[in-house]
Amino acid sequence: MSDSSPLPPVRLRSEAELARDALAAPLLSRAALLARWAGPDTRVDAGGELVEEQVPAAAEALGLSGEDAAAWTAEAWRVAIDTGLVEVVDEEEGTVAQGADLALLTSGSPGEVLGVWLGALETVLADASVPDLDDLVDAVDEDGEIDLSSLDWDLEAEAEFLDGVLANLYLLTVSEDGPGDGPVPLPVLAASMIVPDDMGEPTDDVLEQVSDAMMRLDDQFRLLEPTGLVDFQPVDEALMADIDEEPAAPVDDTDVSRYGMVRLTPLGLYGVRTRLEEAGVSAPMVGELADKGADALLDSTSVFPAAAAQAETEQWLARREPLAAARELLAAARGSDLGAPLRRLRCQQALSLVGAEAEPALREVLDDQELGGLARVWLTENGAADVPAPSEAMVFWLTVDTVAAQLAAEGNSEELQALVEGLAAQHSGFFATAWRVDHPATAEVLEAMGRLHPDKKVAKAARKAAFKARSQHGS
């Protein structure tokens, strides 16, 4: 995940809904069950783990059976200990009692419930970063001790890798062009951590690293799914079968889902965002600007994807009277700084969500050079009567301002190219007048038009006009 560009804002469920999701997560509910199951006869070893002879009874209390029952029971017990649902009373005797935090799950606030869940998540993330049991068995030396140096395993690097994977999954989820609520193929997620951005065709060595990372993530997401963090479809076991074995059923090599699919749940979005914020990464949330001024709204949403900007603006408007909101937005849209055109575009988009009650505010700025054009657009689109025609100077100023805003928002997009071609086609003398427009971005806009227009003659006229605009500005 790039550190240079801001993360798009995320839409989260309410704390009450997230707390219900947390309580329903299999691992936390198991940990709570074990905390209530534990009694005076329950015993733990020096590390706080259940003694081996009591694990079957604990698994039975959880309704678990099969070869994984002991492992899932041990994981639930670790969560119960680490989150304070169970407390060790006497370390020498190995006795335990219900912890004070157990009551939070039934009588605590949603925020307190989520705090317990976050503690459970930390426990599992730590467990997911350690070597698997087979590797640990192989590392046992002659004295029965685990030789960690023989594992070629960097615990800190493994934890950072998993954090990076979750951050990339978060970014893919909240990005406007990402899968949204849909799952992400595990190979895509692994490649996002391994393959350099500037690499064309991955080398065999890089592809092998991606494959190894994918299999490691398969193990880790299997462990994380019971926390409620992710929905996970594991890698098809047939892919890991011996190459000499005949597959039990016909294999579809084009089915990418066979290589594993993962998505963050709504609770997972909350969890990863919380961890990002704790790590010092700004991870905005839709609704955070609702109590801020219009200046903060327009500046912040200038870098938001369109859908997120609209959702944020709708929440901001919901807290204000339409007329007062319109006046505040228009006042914040003024300015001659580099960000002003995009602020005015966001202002225009925000005003499109305001009803007819805002009309007086728009009429108040009809004579304003910076706002008069967008005011006329709003009044016309809303069917207002007696809208004065704009002067030619205002039309050209609004045109330059609009193109400057589109440049800031989207860069050299196909939509902007279509706008540029349309402007040049509609106004035969456009460039002869445009270079005189008294707007800070006139030269930049004309240069962009020269860069984007496919007709060489028109492009040359645009560049010539840009030169004149810069000369005029310099004089």
Side-chain angles (χ1 to χ4, degrees):
M1 185 183 72
S2 173
D3 296 327
S4 58
S5 55
L7 286 170
V10 63
R11 303 188 209 191
L12 294 181
R13 290 181 177 177
S14 68
E15 277 199 342
E17 292 175 300
L18 292 170
R20 285 195 291 271
D21 291 346
L23 291 171
L27 190 57
L28 185 57
S29 63
R30 289 173 190 163
L33 278 172
L34 285 183
R36 298 184 180 99
W37 165 84
D41 296 330
T42 305
R43 292 293 181 271
V44 295
D45 60 23
E49 302 282 349
L50 272 175
V51 294
E52 187 174 348
E53 56 267 28
Q54 292 190 343
V55 171
E60 183 179 356
L62 295 177
L64 296 175
S65 60
E67 61 180 16
D68 294 329
W72 287 123
T73 301
E75 185 73 9
W77 182 261
R78 274 195 297 277
V79 167
I81 290 287
D82 289 352
T83 57
L85 303 183
V86 173
E87 294 177 352
V88 177
V89 176
D90 188 322
E91 292 186 5
E92 290 188 5
E93 295 292 327
T95 56
V96 298
Q98 290 183 359
D101 285 351
L102 180 60
L104 295 178
L105 299 184
T106 53
S107 59
S109 68
E112 288 171 326
V113 171
L114 290 170
V116 175
W117 178 80
L118 286 168
L121 177 62
E122 288 299 322
T123 295
V124 181
L125 285 171
D127 288 347
S129 299
V130 301
D132 62 31
L133 186 60
D134 291 339
D135 289 336
L136 290 175
V137 170
D138 292 341
V140 175
D141 60 21
E142 295 177 354
D143 298 324
E145 300 291 329
I146 296 177
D147 181 12
L148 293 176
S149 63
S150 68
L151 289 175
D152 189 26
W153 193 275
D154 186 331
L155 188 60
E156 185 175 344
E158 287 298 321
E160 288 180 358
F161 180 84
L162 184 53
D163 280 341
V165 166
L166 292 175
N168 278 1
L169 183 56
Y170 180 92
L171 178 59
L172 287 168
T173 305
V174 300
S175 296
E176 195 166 33
D177 56 352
D181 293 334
V184 176
L186 213 55
V188 171
L189 199 54
S192 73
M193 295 295 296
I194 304 293
V195 181
D197 291 338
D198 57 354
M199 176 174 281
E201 189 72 20
T203 63
D204 289 344
D205 179 59
V206 167
L207 289 175
E208 185 175 351
Q209 291 179 52
V210 169
S211 179
D212 290 344
M214 187 182 78
M215 300 313 299
R216 190 158 78 246
L217 289 174
D218 181 66
D219 290 336
Q220 291 171 325
F221 282 129
R222 288 172 191 257
L223 194 59
L224 285 167
E225 186 175 32
T227 68
L229 184 81
V230 295
D231 286 330
F232 182 55
Q233 177 182 324
V235 175
D236 187 343
E237 296 289 345
L239 293 172
M240 297 179 279
D242 191 292
I243 193 169
D244 294 326
E245 293 180 7
E246 282 291 327
V251 174
D252 181 4
D253 291 330
T254 64
D255 183 6
V256 70
S257 67
R258 297 179 61 243
Y259 295 87
M261 304 286 285
V262 64
R263 77 173 187 94
L264 286 174
T265 64
L267 183 61
L269 279 171
Y270 164 82
V272 176
R273 177 183 180 271
T274 300
R275 288 173 54 80
L276 287 170
E277 290 274 333
E278 289 175 350
V281 178
S282 177
M285 179 177 67
V286 171
E288 286 184 317
L289 302 173
D291 59 349
K292 307 290 186 184
D295 52 347
L297 175 73
L298 297 182
D299 279 334
S300 297
T301 57
S302 291
V303 295
F304 284 9
Q310 178 169 331
E312 185 69 58
T313 302
E314 287 172 345
Q315 294 201 27
W316 188 89
L317 289 170
R319 296 196 181 189
R320 291 161 177 81
E321 293 296 324
L323 181 56
R327 285 180 172 138
E328 189 178 348
L329 286 166
L330 288 165
R334 287 191 173 93
S336 58
D337 56 285
L338 290 175
L342 190 49
R343 281 203 309 277
R344 282 186 283 273
L345 177 62
R346 292 300 191 213
C347 173
Q348 189 169 358
Q349 291 167 341
L351 288 170
S352 71
L353 304 174
V354 182
E357 302 97 317
E359 182 174 335
L362 278 300
R363 290 196 178 275
E364 289 165 5
V365 298
L366 282 172
D367 294 331
D368 188 293
Q369 181 188 29
E370 295 177 351
L371 305 176
L374 70 85
R376 284 168 171 79
V377 171
W378 187 94
L379 290 167
T380 301
E381 289 179 345
N382 283 269
D386 302 322
V387 181
S391 65
E392 183 181 70
M394 181 173 286
V395 170
F396 273 83
W397 195 95
L398 179 60
T399 300
V400 169
D401 200 57
T402 301
V403 176
Q406 294 288 351
L407 273 172
E410 303 174 6
N412 299 333
S413 65
E414 292 182 4
E415 291 80 3
L416 183 56
Q417 182 173 340
L419 175 61
V420 166
E421 291 181 33
L423 286 171
Q426 291 171 17
H427 304 279
S428 58
F430 179 83
F431 299 116
T433 303
W435 69 269
R436 304 177 190 275
V437 174
D438 185 19
H439 189 292
T442 297
E444 179 188 0
V445 164
L446 291 170
E447 284 179 350
M449 294 181 77
R451 188 171 60 249
L452 292 170
H453 204 289
D455 187 294
K456 292 182 178 180
K457 184 177 179 181
V458 175
K460 182 178 180 181
R463 291 193 296 271
K464 184 176 180 181
F467 178 78
K468 288 183 177 180
R470 290 208 182 279
S471 299
Q472 175 180 257
H473 182 74
S475 62

